[in-house]
């Protein structure tokens, strides 16, 4: 069941590793199906050797439907996010270093470059520390993410969301590039931040990015 979507989850997990947003088997990828069932990566399993059969399927309450491995330790938080963000169908959790570092020096990752506005829809908020594998991780994500597609979890990592895996993946990857640029500028001086008008313009322009589906 859901073999196509399970393969997409594995490929997304491999991409966040190729992009150095995680190390070893860190982070997780999850997706909501139209019937409300949730697909999740298993806990502590190498993405390079992960098979379609390894992806866990649970219902909206976390009851196991498919899979023999232990699901991600963050499942309780992921289910909370899906429940309280009905427009979200994909969640990626990473420990990406530059965006996480930005969360240690301020309350937001400002929209200093167009690529951040393109994919996260503006400046990214920093949520207070919350333990991994806790419901609080989901609660703080929902509270602080606002209308964006990402939130930084202080001392921990990043959560990105999307209507599909592509939106969540683009948010994670380009956010890391933006964080690296911002931190480099901050090390040299006082970065100039985009205006609200410039940010909104970047969001609108990105809506025409890529090829239309036929």
């Amino acid at each position: 069941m859901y073999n196509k979507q399970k393969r997409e989850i594995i490929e997304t997990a491999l991409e966040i590793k190729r992009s150095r947003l995680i190390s070893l088997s860190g982070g997780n990828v999850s997706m909501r199906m139209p019937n409300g069932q949730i697909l999740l990566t298993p806990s502590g399993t190498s993405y390079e050797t992960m098979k379609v059969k390894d992806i866990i399927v649970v219902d909206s309450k976390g009851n196991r439907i498919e899979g023999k491995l232990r699901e991600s330790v963050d499942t309780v938080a992921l289910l909370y996010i899906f429940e309280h963000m009905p427009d979200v169908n994909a969640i990626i959790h990473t420990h990406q270093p530059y965006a996480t570092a930005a969360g240690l020096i301020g309350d937001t990752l400002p929209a200093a470059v167009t690529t951040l506005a393109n994919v996260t829809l503006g400046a990214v908020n920093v949520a207070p520390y919350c333990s991994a594998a806790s419901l609080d991780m989901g609660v703080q994500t929902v509270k602080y993410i606002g209308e964006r597609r990402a939130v930084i979890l202080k001392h921990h990592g990043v959560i990105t969301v999307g209507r599909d895996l592509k939106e969540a993946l683009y948010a994670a990857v380009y956010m890391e590039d933006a964080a690296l640029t911002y931190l480099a500028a901050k090390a040299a001086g006082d970065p100039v931040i985009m205006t609200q008008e410039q940010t909104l313009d970047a969001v609108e322009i990105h809506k025409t990015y890529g090829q239309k589906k036929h």
Side-chain angles (χ1 to χ4, degrees), residues 2 5 8-9 29-40 58-60 78-91 161-165:
Y2 306 128
Q5 292 87 349
E8 290 175 359
I9 284 178
V29 180
S30 55
M31 181 193 300
R32 171 162 45 195
M33 297 294 96
N35 63 5
Q37 292 178 351
I38 309 295
L39 279 57
L40 306 146
V58 299
D59 66 18
S60 60
L78 300 173
L79 292 177
Y80 183 92
I81 297 168
F82 279 125
E83 179 184 358
H84 290 84
M85 300 186 72
D87 294 333
V88 165
N89 295 313
I91 302 172
V161 301
R163 292 169 294 185
D164 53 32
L165 280 174

Side-chain angles (χ1 to χ4, degrees), residues 173-189:
V173 172
Y174 283 114
M175 179 182 174
E176 187 70 349
D177 286 349
L180 174 56
T181 302
Y182 171 72
L183 291 172
K186 194 168 182 65

Side-chain angles (χ1 to χ4, degrees), residues 3 31 33 40 51 55 69 87 115-116 148 156 194 206 211:
N3 284 350
M31 181 193 300
M33 297 294 96
L40 306 146
K51 302 291 190 296
I55 301 299
L69 299 179
D87 294 333
T115 47
L116 186 70
R148 307 299 188 229
H156 184 171
M194 294 169 64
H206 193 69
Q211 303 300 314

Side-chain angles (χ1 to χ4, degrees), residues 103-174:
L104 301 178
I105 60 173
D107 295 328
T108 63
L109 172 58
V113 292
T114 57
T115 47
L116 186 70
N118 290 160
V119 296
T120 64
L121 310 182
V124 176
N125 290 330
V126 179
Y129 172 75
C130 47
S131 174
S134 70
L135 177 63
D136 192 42
M137 179 176 161
V139 172
Q140 297 299 339
T141 293
V142 172
K143 181 177 180 180
Y144 281 87
I145 198 168
E147 300 299 318
R148 307 299 188 229
R149 290 188 186 142
V151 66
I152 299 171
L153 308 175
K154 189 179 286 291
H155 308 294
H156 184 171
V158 167
I159 291 278
T160 63
V161 301
R163 292 169 294 185
D164 53 32
L165 280 174
K166 182 178 179 179
E167 282 190 349
L169 177 62
Y170 272 51
V173 172
Y174 283 114

